[in-house]
Protein backbone atom coordinates (compact mmCIF):
# COMPACT_ATOMS: atom_id res chain seq x y z
CA UNK A 1 0.00 0.00 0.00
CA UNK A 2 1.38 3.41 -0.99
CA UNK A 3 0.46 6.62 0.78
CA UNK A 4 1.32 10.29 0.50
CA UNK A 5 0.35 13.20 2.74
CA UNK A 6 -0.72 16.72 1.85
CA UNK A 7 -1.04 19.67 4.21
CA UNK A 8 -3.65 22.34 3.49
CA UNK A 9 -4.03 25.63 5.33
CA UNK A 10 -7.19 26.61 7.20
CA UNK A 11 -9.70 28.57 5.15
CA UNK A 12 -11.91 31.59 5.57
CA UNK A 13 -14.76 32.94 3.51
CA UNK A 14 -16.38 36.30 2.95
CA UNK A 15 -18.87 37.52 0.39
CA UNK A 16 -19.48 40.98 -1.06
CA UNK A 17 -22.33 42.38 -3.09
CA UNK A 18 -22.39 44.25 -6.39
CA UNK A 19 -24.94 46.74 -7.65
CA UNK A 20 -26.79 46.27 -10.95
CA UNK A 21 -28.46 48.50 -13.48
CA UNK A 22 -32.10 48.46 -14.53
CA UNK A 23 -31.23 47.01 -17.95
CA UNK A 24 -29.61 43.84 -16.55
CA UNK A 25 -31.25 40.48 -15.88
CA UNK A 26 -32.68 40.24 -12.37
CA UNK A 27 -34.12 37.06 -10.88
CA UNK A 28 -36.20 37.01 -7.71
CA UNK A 29 -36.97 33.35 -8.40
CA UNK A 30 -34.38 31.84 -10.68
CA UNK A 31 -36.53 29.27 -12.41
CA UNK A 32 -39.30 31.83 -12.92
CA UNK A 33 -36.80 34.02 -14.78
CA UNK A 34 -35.59 31.08 -16.88
CA UNK A 35 -39.14 30.05 -17.67
CA UNK A 36 -39.81 33.60 -18.88
CA UNK A 37 -36.82 33.28 -21.24
CA UNK A 38 -38.32 30.11 -22.68
CA UNK A 39 -41.76 31.65 -22.99
CA UNK A 40 -40.42 34.73 -24.77
CA UNK A 41 -38.00 32.97 -27.11
CA UNK A 42 -39.06 29.37 -27.65
CA UNK A 43 -42.86 29.18 -27.80
CA UNK A 44 -43.63 31.40 -30.82
CA UNK A 45 -43.42 28.66 -33.44
CA UNK A 46 -41.65 25.66 -31.88
CA UNK A 47 -42.35 24.60 -28.31
CA UNK A 48 -46.08 25.19 -28.04
CA UNK A 49 -49.36 24.03 -29.52
CA UNK A 50 -50.73 20.57 -30.14
CA UNK A 51 -47.50 19.17 -31.64
CA UNK A 52 -44.55 21.01 -30.05
CA UNK A 53 -41.03 20.39 -31.33
CA UNK A 54 -39.37 17.54 -29.45
CA UNK A 55 -42.67 16.92 -27.70
CA UNK A 56 -41.68 19.75 -25.37
CA UNK A 57 -44.36 22.35 -24.62
CA UNK A 58 -42.76 25.34 -22.93
CA UNK A 59 -45.96 27.36 -22.92
CA UNK A 60 -47.53 25.33 -20.10
CA UNK A 61 -47.72 26.28 -16.42
CA UNK A 62 -44.54 26.85 -14.43
CA UNK A 63 -44.76 23.54 -12.57
CA UNK A 64 -45.59 21.62 -15.74
CA UNK A 65 -42.64 23.08 -17.64
CA UNK A 66 -40.34 22.19 -14.75
CA UNK A 67 -41.58 18.60 -14.67
CA UNK A 68 -41.03 18.30 -18.44
CA UNK A 69 -37.43 19.58 -18.24
CA UNK A 70 -35.65 18.39 -15.12
CA UNK A 71 -34.31 14.82 -15.16
CA UNK A 72 -36.27 14.11 -18.36
CA UNK A 73 -34.71 12.15 -21.23
CA UNK A 74 -34.45 14.04 -24.55
CA UNK A 75 -36.31 12.68 -27.56
CA UNK A 76 -33.28 13.30 -29.77
CA UNK A 77 -31.60 9.87 -30.22
CA UNK A 78 -28.05 11.24 -30.32
CA UNK A 79 -28.46 13.20 -27.09
CA UNK A 80 -30.25 10.30 -25.41
CA UNK A 81 -27.42 7.94 -26.39
CA UNK A 82 -24.99 10.17 -24.48
CA UNK A 83 -27.07 9.78 -21.35
CA UNK A 84 -28.10 13.44 -21.34
CA UNK A 85 -31.21 14.82 -19.68
CA UNK A 86 -32.99 17.92 -20.92
CA UNK A 87 -31.83 19.47 -17.66
CA UNK A 88 -29.51 17.38 -15.48
CA UNK A 89 -29.25 19.13 -12.07
CA UNK A 90 -25.63 19.96 -11.29
CA UNK A 91 -24.35 18.98 -14.75
CA UNK A 92 -24.40 21.68 -17.46
CA UNK A 93 -22.46 19.43 -19.85
CA UNK A 94 -25.11 16.73 -19.55
CA UNK A 95 -28.06 19.11 -20.03
CA UNK A 96 -29.22 18.90 -23.65
CA UNK A 97 -31.42 21.99 -23.48
CA UNK A 98 -28.49 24.14 -22.38
CA UNK A 99 -26.26 22.71 -25.09
CA UNK A 100 -28.94 23.54 -27.67
CA UNK A 101 -28.91 27.23 -26.73
CA UNK A 102 -25.22 27.47 -25.76
CA UNK A 103 -24.40 29.62 -28.83
CA UNK A 104 -20.63 29.21 -28.38
CA UNK A 105 -20.56 30.55 -24.82
CA UNK A 106 -18.92 27.34 -23.60
CA UNK A 107 -16.66 26.02 -26.40
CA UNK A 108 -16.92 22.37 -25.32
CA UNK A 109 -20.65 22.30 -24.64
CA UNK A 110 -22.17 22.69 -28.10
CA UNK A 111 -24.25 20.34 -30.21
CA UNK A 112 -23.29 18.04 -33.07
CA UNK A 113 -25.15 17.73 -36.38
CA UNK A 114 -27.16 14.71 -35.21
CA UNK A 115 -28.59 16.77 -32.36
CA UNK A 116 -30.46 19.17 -34.63
CA UNK A 117 -30.26 22.95 -34.89
CA UNK A 118 -29.39 25.45 -32.20
CA UNK A 119 -32.11 27.11 -30.14
CA UNK A 120 -34.00 29.37 -30.42
CA UNK A 121 -34.51 28.26 -34.02
CA UNK A 122 -36.68 31.11 -35.31
CA UNK A 123 -35.52 33.84 -32.94
CA UNK A 124 -32.19 35.57 -32.23
CA UNK A 125 -29.79 33.66 -30.00
CA UNK A 126 -30.06 34.25 -26.27
CA UNK A 127 -27.74 36.86 -24.81
CA UNK A 128 -24.69 35.67 -22.91
CA UNK A 129 -26.22 36.77 -19.61
CA UNK A 130 -29.34 34.72 -20.35
CA UNK A 131 -27.41 31.59 -21.29
CA UNK A 132 -25.27 32.04 -18.20
CA UNK A 133 -28.37 32.32 -16.03
CA UNK A 134 -29.44 28.88 -17.24
CA UNK A 135 -25.96 27.40 -16.73
CA UNK A 136 -25.62 28.81 -13.22
CA UNK A 137 -29.09 27.56 -12.29
CA UNK A 138 -28.09 24.06 -13.38
CA UNK A 139 -24.81 24.32 -11.44
CA UNK A 140 -26.86 25.21 -8.37
CA UNK A 141 -28.87 21.99 -8.73
CA UNK A 142 -31.70 23.40 -10.89
CA UNK A 143 -34.24 23.95 -8.08
CA UNK A 144 -37.84 24.85 -8.88
CA UNK A 145 -37.99 27.61 -6.26
CA UNK A 146 -35.63 30.08 -4.67
CA UNK A 147 -33.24 32.73 -5.94
CA UNK A 148 -30.07 30.66 -6.33
CA UNK A 149 -28.10 32.71 -8.90
CA UNK A 150 -26.46 36.08 -8.23
CA UNK A 151 -27.51 37.90 -11.39
CA UNK A 152 -25.61 41.02 -10.30
CA UNK A 153 -22.35 39.11 -10.59
CA UNK A 154 -23.30 37.74 -14.02
CA UNK A 155 -24.28 41.17 -15.29
CA UNK A 156 -21.02 42.74 -14.07
CA UNK A 157 -18.96 40.00 -15.72
CA UNK A 158 -20.64 40.38 -19.11
CA UNK A 159 -20.72 44.19 -18.99
CA UNK A 160 -16.94 44.16 -19.43
CA UNK A 161 -15.86 43.82 -15.80
CA UNK A 162 -14.96 40.16 -16.06
CA UNK A 163 -11.70 38.21 -15.73
CA UNK A 164 -11.53 34.90 -17.61
CA UNK A 165 -9.18 32.69 -15.59
CA UNK A 166 -8.45 30.24 -18.45
CA UNK A 167 -8.80 32.14 -21.77
CA UNK A 168 -7.92 29.11 -23.93
CA UNK A 169 -9.43 25.81 -22.75
CA UNK A 170 -7.02 22.86 -22.97
CA UNK A 171 -7.90 20.22 -25.57
CA UNK A 172 -9.48 17.01 -24.33
CA UNK A 173 -7.14 13.99 -24.19
CA UNK A 174 -7.29 11.53 -27.07
CA UNK A 175 -5.65 8.53 -25.39
CA UNK A 176 -8.08 5.58 -25.43
CA UNK A 177 -9.87 5.27 -22.08
CA UNK A 178 -9.10 8.86 -21.09
CA UNK A 179 -11.66 11.62 -20.60
CA UNK A 180 -11.93 15.27 -19.60
CA UNK A 181 -14.06 16.77 -16.82
CA UNK A 182 -14.91 20.46 -17.14
CA UNK A 183 -16.26 22.42 -14.17
CA UNK A 184 -17.46 25.98 -14.53
CA UNK A 185 -17.86 28.70 -15.06
CA UNK A 186 -17.86 29.62 -11.35
CA UNK A 187 -17.99 33.33 -10.52
CA UNK A 188 -16.30 35.12 -7.64
CA UNK A 189 -17.24 38.71 -6.85
CA UNK A 190 -14.58 41.46 -6.68
CA UNK A 191 -12.41 41.56 -3.55
CA UNK A 192 -13.91 38.36 -2.19
CA UNK A 193 -13.39 34.63 -2.06
CA UNK A 194 -15.54 31.51 -2.17
CA UNK A 195 -15.08 27.86 -1.34
CA UNK A 196 -17.33 25.17 -2.81
CA UNK A 197 -17.82 21.45 -2.77
CA UNK A 198 -19.07 20.04 -6.07
CA UNK A 199 -20.53 16.55 -6.35
CA UNK A 200 -19.67 14.75 -9.59
CA UNK A 201 -21.04 11.35 -10.61
CA UNK A 202 -18.49 9.84 -13.01
CA UNK A 203 -21.07 7.54 -14.64
CA UNK A 204 -18.36 5.04 -15.47
CA UNK A 205 -19.23 2.11 -17.71
CA UNK A 206 -17.00 -0.18 -15.63
CA UNK A 207 -14.51 -0.07 -12.76
CA UNK A 208 -11.22 1.54 -13.84
CA UNK A 209 -7.81 2.45 -12.48
CA UNK A 210 -6.74 6.09 -12.86
CA UNK A 211 -2.98 6.52 -13.15
CA UNK A 212 -2.76 10.20 -14.14
CA UNK A 213 -4.83 13.36 -13.64
CA UNK A 214 -3.74 16.54 -15.39
CA UNK A 215 -5.54 19.47 -13.75
CA UNK A 216 -5.75 22.95 -15.25
CA UNK A 217 -7.03 25.41 -12.64
CA UNK A 218 -7.22 29.20 -12.36
CA UNK A 219 -3.89 30.84 -11.46
CA UNK A 220 -5.80 32.73 -8.74
CA UNK A 221 -6.78 29.45 -7.01
CA UNK A 222 -5.96 28.74 -3.38
CA UNK A 223 -6.54 25.02 -3.77
CA UNK A 224 -8.45 22.40 -5.69
CA UNK A 225 -8.98 18.96 -4.11
CA UNK A 226 -10.55 15.77 -5.44
CA UNK A 227 -12.28 13.50 -2.93
CA UNK A 228 -14.17 10.29 -3.58
CA UNK A 229 -17.36 9.60 -1.66
CA UNK A 230 -17.36 6.54 0.54
CA UNK A 231 -19.76 3.84 -0.73
CA UNK A 232 -23.40 4.71 -0.07
CA UNK A 233 -22.78 8.29 1.11
CA UNK A 234 -23.08 10.38 -2.08
CA UNK A 235 -26.88 10.32 -2.10
CA UNK A 236 -26.92 12.34 1.15
CA UNK A 237 -25.48 15.36 -0.66
CA UNK A 238 -27.25 17.63 -3.16
CA UNK A 239 -26.23 17.91 -6.78
CA UNK A 240 -24.36 20.99 -7.88
CA UNK A 241 -22.39 23.62 -5.96
CA UNK A 242 -22.40 23.55 -2.17
CA UNK A 243 -21.04 26.73 -0.62
CA UNK A 244 -18.87 25.88 2.38
CA UNK A 245 -19.63 27.59 5.68
CA UNK A 246 -16.17 27.70 7.30
CA UNK A 247 -17.60 28.31 10.77
CA UNK A 248 -19.92 25.29 10.83
CA UNK A 249 -18.48 23.07 8.11
CA UNK A 250 -21.88 22.98 6.41
CA UNK A 251 -21.48 21.91 2.79
CA UNK A 252 -18.40 19.79 3.39
CA UNK A 253 -18.37 16.02 2.85
CA UNK A 254 -15.67 15.46 5.49
CA UNK A 255 -16.18 12.08 7.13
CA UNK A 256 -17.92 10.76 4.04
CA UNK A 257 -15.00 10.75 1.62
CA UNK A 258 -11.44 9.70 0.93
CA UNK A 259 -8.76 11.88 -0.62
CA UNK A 260 -7.72 11.39 -4.23
CA UNK A 261 -5.36 14.31 -4.88
CA UNK A 262 -4.90 18.06 -4.42
CA UNK A 263 -3.54 21.02 -6.40
CA UNK A 264 -2.56 24.62 -5.69
CA UNK A 265 -1.43 25.27 -9.25
CA UNK A 266 -2.09 23.58 -12.57
CA UNK A 267 -0.12 20.36 -12.58
CA UNK A 268 0.09 16.93 -14.12
CA UNK A 269 -0.42 14.43 -11.26
CA UNK A 270 1.20 11.33 -12.70
CA UNK A 271 1.38 8.45 -10.24
CA UNK A 272 4.51 6.33 -9.83
CA UNK A 273 4.91 3.46 -12.32
CA UNK A 274 2.61 0.49 -11.75
CA UNK A 275 0.32 2.38 -9.33
CA UNK A 276 -3.19 3.77 -9.83
CA UNK A 277 -6.30 4.94 -8.00
CA UNK A 278 -9.13 2.42 -8.06
CA UNK A 279 -12.45 3.95 -9.17
CA UNK A 280 -15.35 1.54 -8.98
CA UNK A 281 -18.14 1.75 -11.56
CA UNK A 282 -20.38 3.48 -8.99
CA UNK A 283 -17.73 6.05 -7.94
CA UNK A 284 -18.89 9.61 -7.24
CA UNK A 285 -16.28 12.33 -6.75
CA UNK A 286 -16.54 15.46 -4.62
CA UNK A 287 -14.45 18.45 -5.69
CA UNK A 288 -13.39 21.11 -3.19
CA UNK A 289 -12.45 24.45 -4.76
CA UNK A 290 -11.29 27.58 -2.91
CA UNK A 291 -10.95 30.67 -5.12
CA UNK A 292 -9.96 34.18 -4.00
CA UNK A 293 -10.48 37.21 -6.22
CA UNK A 294 -8.10 40.01 -5.33
CA UNK A 295 -9.31 42.35 -8.07
CA UNK A 296 -11.24 45.27 -6.50
CA UNK A 297 -13.80 45.84 -9.27
CA UNK A 298 -13.93 42.86 -11.67
CA UNK A 299 -15.69 39.51 -11.38
CA UNK A 300 -13.48 36.43 -11.67
CA UNK A 301 -14.84 33.61 -13.83
CA UNK A 302 -13.09 30.32 -13.12
CA UNK A 303 -13.05 26.93 -14.83
CA UNK A 304 -11.36 23.64 -14.00
CA UNK A 305 -10.33 21.08 -16.59
CA UNK A 306 -9.26 17.60 -15.49
CA UNK A 307 -7.79 15.14 -17.97
CA UNK A 308 -8.17 11.67 -16.45
CA UNK A 309 -6.10 8.79 -17.82
CA UNK A 310 -7.23 5.28 -16.96
CA UNK A 311 -6.29 1.65 -17.39
CA UNK A 312 -8.42 -1.51 -17.13
CA UNK A 313 -9.33 -2.76 -13.67
CA UNK A 314 -7.53 -5.99 -14.54
CA UNK A 315 -4.16 -4.23 -14.85
CA UNK A 316 -1.36 -5.29 -12.50
CA UNK A 317 -0.93 -1.80 -11.01
CA UNK A 318 -0.93 -1.53 -7.23
CA UNK A 319 -3.72 0.57 -5.69
CA UNK A 320 -2.69 4.06 -4.59
CA UNK A 321 -4.19 5.55 -1.43
CA UNK A 322 -3.88 9.18 -0.28
CA UNK A 323 -4.27 10.83 3.10
CA UNK A 324 -4.61 14.46 4.15
CA UNK A 325 -3.43 16.28 7.26
CA UNK A 326 -4.94 19.65 8.23
CA UNK A 327 -2.61 21.98 10.12
CA UNK A 328 -4.46 25.09 11.28
CA UNK A 329 -1.12 26.75 12.16
CA UNK A 330 0.23 26.46 8.63
CA UNK A 331 -0.71 29.16 6.11
CA UNK A 332 0.33 28.80 2.47
CA UNK A 333 -0.07 31.67 -0.01
CA UNK A 334 -2.06 30.73 -3.08
CA UNK A 335 0.90 31.57 -5.33
CA UNK A 336 3.32 29.20 -3.57
Amino acid sequence: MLKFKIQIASLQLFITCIGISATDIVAQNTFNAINSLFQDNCTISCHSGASPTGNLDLSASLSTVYSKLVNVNPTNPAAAAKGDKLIDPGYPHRSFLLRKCNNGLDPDNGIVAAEGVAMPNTQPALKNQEIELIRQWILQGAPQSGNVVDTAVINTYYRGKGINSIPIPPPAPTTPGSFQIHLGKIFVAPASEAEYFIKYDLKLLDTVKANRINATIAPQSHHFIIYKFLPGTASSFQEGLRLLNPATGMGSSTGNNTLVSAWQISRNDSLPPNTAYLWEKSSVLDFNYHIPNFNPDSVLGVDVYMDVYTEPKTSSSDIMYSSIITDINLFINNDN
Side-chain angles (χ1 to χ4, degrees):
M1 178 184 299
L2 300 177
K3 292 187 176 182
F4 64 90
K5 296 180 180 180
I6 299 173
Q7 293 184 326
I8 300 294
S10 61
L11 310 172
Q12 292 183 329
L13 173 70
F14 64 94
I15 302 295
T16 61
C17 298
I18 306 174
I20 61 175
S21 71
T23 59
D24 292 321
I25 55 170
V26 179
Q28 297 301 317
N29 180 301
T30 304
F31 181 63
N32 282 10
I34 290 170
N35 184 61
S36 294
L37 288 177
F38 294 151
Q39 299 263 342
D40 293 342
N41 295 277
C42 306
T43 61
I44 296 175
S45 60
C46 294
H47 295 287
S48 61
S51 300
T53 302
N55 197 31
L56 178 61
D57 184 3
L58 295 175
S59 66
S61 68
L62 188 71
S63 60
T64 299
V65 170
Y66 186 86
S67 67
K68 289 182 175 292
L69 289 179
V70 178
N71 284 315
V72 174
N73 295 327
T75 57
N76 179 275
K82 293 179 178 179
D84 281 359
K85 303 294 183 181
L86 289 177
I87 296 294
D88 194 345
Y91 300 95
H93 289 84
R94 297 174 183 170
S95 296
F96 183 50
L97 190 63
L98 173 62
R99 295 199 297 106
K100 289 280 280 185
C101 62
N102 178 63
N103 193 37
L105 184 68
D106 184 346
D108 65 359
N109 203 26
I111 55 175
V112 298
E115 293 174 324
V117 297
M119 291 177 52
N121 186 17
T122 60
Q123 300 292 318
L126 297 180
K127 298 176 182 177
N128 285 343
Q129 292 96 317
E130 296 169 334
I131 302 168
E132 193 64 71
L133 178 65
I134 300 172
R135 174 164 63 176
Q136 294 301 312
W137 171 66
I138 295 171
L139 274 172
Q140 293 291 341
Q144 185 173 356
S145 61
N147 185 11
V148 298
V149 177
D150 191 339
T151 52
V153 169
I154 293 175
N155 292 324
T156 300
Y157 183 86
Y158 287 106
R159 280 204 307 259
K161 284 290 187 177
I163 303 170
N164 189 355
S165 66
I166 304 177
I168 302 176
T174 57
T175 305
S178 62
F179 57 91
Q180 186 178 81
I181 299 173
H182 175 196
L183 299 179
K185 196 171 286 315
I186 300 172
F187 294 104
V188 186
S192 71
E193 59 185 300
E195 183 175 2
Y196 292 100
F197 279 80
I198 310 161
K199 177 179 172 181
Y200 193 90
D201 188 345
L202 288 167
K203 294 189 181 296
L204 295 173
L205 299 178
D206 196 4
T207 295
V208 299
K209 292 179 177 178
N211 55 37
R212 179 158 68 104
I213 306 175
N214 185 22
T216 302
I217 64 176
Q220 298 89 346
S221 303
H222 179 274
H223 72 254
F224 178 76
I225 305 176
I226 300 179
Y227 296 101
K228 186 174 76 168
F229 279 108
L230 295 172
T233 63
S235 60
S236 300
F237 295 85
Q238 72 179 49
E239 304 292 347
L241 300 179
R242 309 191 311 274
L243 183 65
L244 176 68
N245 184 323
T248 65
M250 183 68 68
S252 170
S253 58
T254 300
N256 296 280
N257 61 42
T258 59
L259 176 70
V260 176
S261 192
W263 292 260
Q264 285 190 296
I265 59 174
S266 297
R267 190 186 73 243
N268 183 20
D269 182 7
S270 186
L271 297 186
N274 301 315
T275 67
Y277 302 118
L278 180 67
W279 289 354
E280 300 82 0
K281 181 180 179 181
S282 60
S283 292
V284 180
L285 303 181
D286 204 26
F287 305 122
N288 174 221
Y289 200 14
H290 180 194
I291 323 116
N293 179 10
F294 299 109
N295 190 285
D297 61 4
S298 294
V299 172
L300 177 64
V302 299
D303 296 89
V304 177
Y305 296 88
M306 289 160 282
D307 297 334
V308 180
Y309 296 83
T310 67
E311 57 191 58
K313 63 181 179 181
T314 55
S315 73
S316 60
S317 294
D318 293 327
I319 305 305
M320 172 69 81
Y321 296 90
S322 309
S323 62
I324 188 168
I325 296 175
T326 301
D327 186 345
I328 62 174
N329 297 310
L330 176 65
F331 294 88
I332 304 174
N333 292 331
N334 70 296
D335 57 351
N336 289 339

